[in-house]
């Protein structure tokens, strides 16, 4: 698995340090709010979501959604497939929507619109990685761990066709690994 990594973009230590910083920032921004619901987009956000939730020293409800616009490709299909929606009632809640990466922005934009229909007090977008150079819309995250270059990355939840999620770092996948 590690042989298919061209280079480590973000080390395990860098990721953990930044996740703790984001947790402290979110704590400060939400310390006077109640009814906070943190929603993770599965499967990619699972590691980031878990570590971030532990770094936020506030009462949180947690929930998950499954949505994708990629399937087994390295390019977005342009349409979002929502296979599981959250079970929490969001009206009047402060929602933190957490994903591993914002690339095209298609998935995060569609899910944000879907959640806003439930009349939450607020919806803030949180992403571990952001590739603004790939954006096809005007979406921006409210909290970003790292702005990264336009390279195909895997690890710490990020995958290619379901593989590489369990790498403890984020690495650039060699083109020959996904060109097969």
């Amino acid at each position: 698995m590690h042989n298919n990594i061209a280079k480590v973009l973000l080390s395990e230590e860098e990721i953990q340090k930044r996740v703790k910083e984001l947790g402290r920032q979110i704590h400060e921004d939400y310390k006077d709010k109640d009814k906070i619901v943190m929603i993770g987009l599965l499967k990619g956000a699972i590691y980031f979501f878990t570590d971030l939730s532990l770094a936020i020293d506030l009462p949180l409800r947690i929930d998950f959604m499954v949505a994708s616009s990629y399937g087994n490709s390295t390019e977005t299909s342009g349409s979002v497939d929502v296979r599981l929606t959250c079970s929490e009632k969001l009206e009047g809640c402060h929602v933190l929507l957490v994903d591993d990466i914002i690339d095209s922005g298609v998935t995060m934009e569609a899910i944000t619109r879907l959640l806003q229909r439930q009349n939450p007090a607020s919806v803030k977008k949180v992403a571990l990685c952001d590739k603004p150079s790939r954006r096809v819309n005007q979406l921006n995250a409210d909290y970003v761990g790292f702005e990264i270059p336009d390279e195909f990355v895997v690890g710490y939840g990020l995958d290619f066709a379901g593989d590489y999620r369990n790498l403890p770092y984020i690495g650039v996948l060699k083109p020959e690994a996904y060109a097969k």
Side-chain angles (χ1 to χ4, degrees):
M1 173 165 69
H2 301 279
N3 294 340
N4 288 332
I5 303 303
K7 68 180 177 183
V8 173
L9 188 64
L10 299 168
S11 72
E12 185 175 3
E13 294 77 19
E14 289 172 299
I15 293 167
Q16 291 307 314
K17 179 179 182 233
R18 185 64 181 129
V19 169
K20 288 179 178 145
E21 291 169 355
L22 286 171
R24 285 191 296 273
Q25 182 181 0
I26 291 168
H27 170 87
E28 282 303 307
D29 293 350
Y30 283 81
K31 66 184 175 190
D32 298 324
K33 301 195 182 328
D34 59 350
K35 296 171 70 175
I36 303 166
V37 180
M38 197 168 155
I39 299 172
L41 294 179
L42 297 177
K43 300 175 187 172
I46 190 67
Y47 297 106
F48 176 50
F49 180 91
T50 300
D51 289 345
L52 182 62
S53 70
L54 294 171
I56 300 171
D57 189 23
L58 294 170
L60 299 170
R61 286 189 251 156
I62 63 169
D63 210 335
F64 298 96
M65 295 180 73
V66 176
S68 176
S69 66
Y70 281 78
N72 288 335
S73 176
T74 60
E75 298 288 329
T76 182
S77 67
S79 74
V80 178
D81 179 24
V82 178
R83 294 184 300 273
L84 174 69
T85 190
C86 62
S87 59
E88 286 286 334
K89 302 293 182 221
L90 301 179
E91 187 169 351
C93 294
H94 296 280
V95 175
L96 291 166
L97 179 59
V98 180
D99 204 0
D100 53 357
I101 190 167
I102 300 177
D103 192 346
S104 68
V106 170
T107 300
M108 186 70 86
E109 181 180 55
I111 297 304
T112 300
R113 279 197 318 265
L114 183 70
L115 295 175
Q116 287 173 332
R117 290 185 202 145
Q118 295 187 46
N119 299 314
S122 65
V123 177
K124 299 286 184 174
K125 298 167 285 298
V126 185
L128 176 63
C129 296
D130 186 16
K131 281 188 194 177
S133 65
R134 305 256 311 160
R135 201 78 80 243
V136 299
N137 55 30
Q138 299 302 309
L139 182 124
N140 289 304
D142 300 283
Y143 301 96
V144 174
F146 302 93
E147 187 173 306
I148 63 171
D150 186 12
E151 297 182 282
F152 196 82
V153 293
V154 294
Y156 196 67
L158 294 155
D159 75 305
F160 171 66
D163 294 327
Y164 305 101
R165 289 189 198 279
N166 60 319
L167 292 171
Y169 56 83
I170 294 176
V172 176
L173 191 62
K174 290 179 180 175
E176 56 268 23
Y178 55 84
K180 298 176 186 177

